[in-house]
Amino acid sequence: MTPLQAIWNYHDGVFGRWIGNSVLYSTVGAAGSTFISLAAGYGISKFGFRGRGALFAVIVGASLLPSTLLAFPLYLVFSDIGLTNTIWAVLIPYFINPFGVYLGKVYADTSVPTELMEAARIDGVGETRIFFSVALNLMRTGGVTIFMLDFINIWNNFFLPLFMLNGERTFPVTLGLFSWVQQAQTARDMNTLVLTGSLLSIIPLAIFMFALQKYWRSGILMGSLK
C-alpha cells in the first residue's frame, strides 16, 4: 500500500475528515471575520462618534496580543456556557479579529470616497444600503485580502482547537497531525503518515493562494501604501 493510500484509509479515513473540518472552520470563520472587519472598519472610518480614537487605539492594541494568550481564557468562557467541543467554540472566536478591523478601516479610508456617500444620502439612500451596495463593492479587494489572511491564520491555528475540542472527528488537520505525532513516539509506522499528512495539508493553502493571487497582491499593496 502506498503512503497516499495508507493515509486516506487509516482509521476509516479520518484524515479526510480533518481536511474537511479545516476547510469548514477556515472558510466560515474567515467569511464571518471578513464581514465583521469590513463593517467595523467602515463604521470607524466614516462615522464620527465620541470615543472613536480611543476605540481604534484599543483595536490596534488588541491586534498585538498573541492568540495563544487568549486560548485558555476563551476555554473558560465557553466551558461555562457549555459550548466546548462544538463547532461554535472554534468559529465564534475566529469571527472577531482586531487586525482585520484595522485593515478594514485602512481600506475604507482609501477605497470609499466620502463624497460618494454624501451623494447617495442626497438621493435618499439609507446607510445600510450604502454599505451593502456601495462600500462593500469598493472594498472588495481589501475584503479578499482580509479573507485570505484570516483563512491562512485559521487553517494553521493549533492552540484554540487544542483547548476547545476533544473529539477526534472534530479535529482540524493541525490538531489531527499533532495527535499522530504523539502516537509516532511509540509506533514507528506512524512517521510515514505524519510526513505524508503534513505535505498534503499545505496543498489546499497553495491552491487557495494561487487562485486569489490577483486580489491579494493588489490588496496588500494598497494597505502598504496607506
Side-chain angles (χ1 to χ4, degrees), residues 107 141 145 213-223:
Y107 292 122
T141 300
T145 303
Q213 62 177 330
K214 70 175 182 179
Y215 293 102
W216 62 260
R217 284 180 179 176
S218 58
I220 292 176
L221 178 60
M222 183 191 305

Side-chain angles (χ1 to χ4, degrees), residues 22-134:
S22 288
V23 171
L24 174 65
Y25 298 150
S26 299
T27 302
V28 177
S33 174
T34 300
F35 177 77
I36 293 174
S37 296
L38 291 178
Y42 171 80
I44 294 173
S45 173
K46 298 302 179 182
F47 296 97
F49 53 88
R50 181 176 296 180
R52 181 174 68 168
L55 175 62
F56 187 62
V58 170
I59 291 172
V60 172
S63 68
L64 301 177
L65 293 175
S67 59
T68 54
L69 184 66
L70 303 176
F72 184 65
L74 285 172
Y75 168 77
L76 296 178
V77 172
F78 281 93
S79 178
D80 286 342
I81 60 179
L83 286 181
T84 53
N85 200 34
T86 68
I87 185 176
W88 298 110
V90 178
L91 287 179
I92 292 175
Y94 288 150
F95 289 156
I96 309 301
N97 180 8
F99 184 66
V101 176
Y102 168 76
L103 289 179
K105 180 184 182 303
V106 170
Y107 292 122
D109 287 340
T110 57
S111 302
V112 184
T114 304
E115 296 79 6
L116 183 60
M117 295 174 58
E118 293 295 337
R121 290 173 183 142
I122 292 174
D123 290 338
V125 180
E127 296 296 339
T128 302
R129 186 177 176 186
I130 291 175
F131 173 69
F132 283 99
S133 300
V134 179

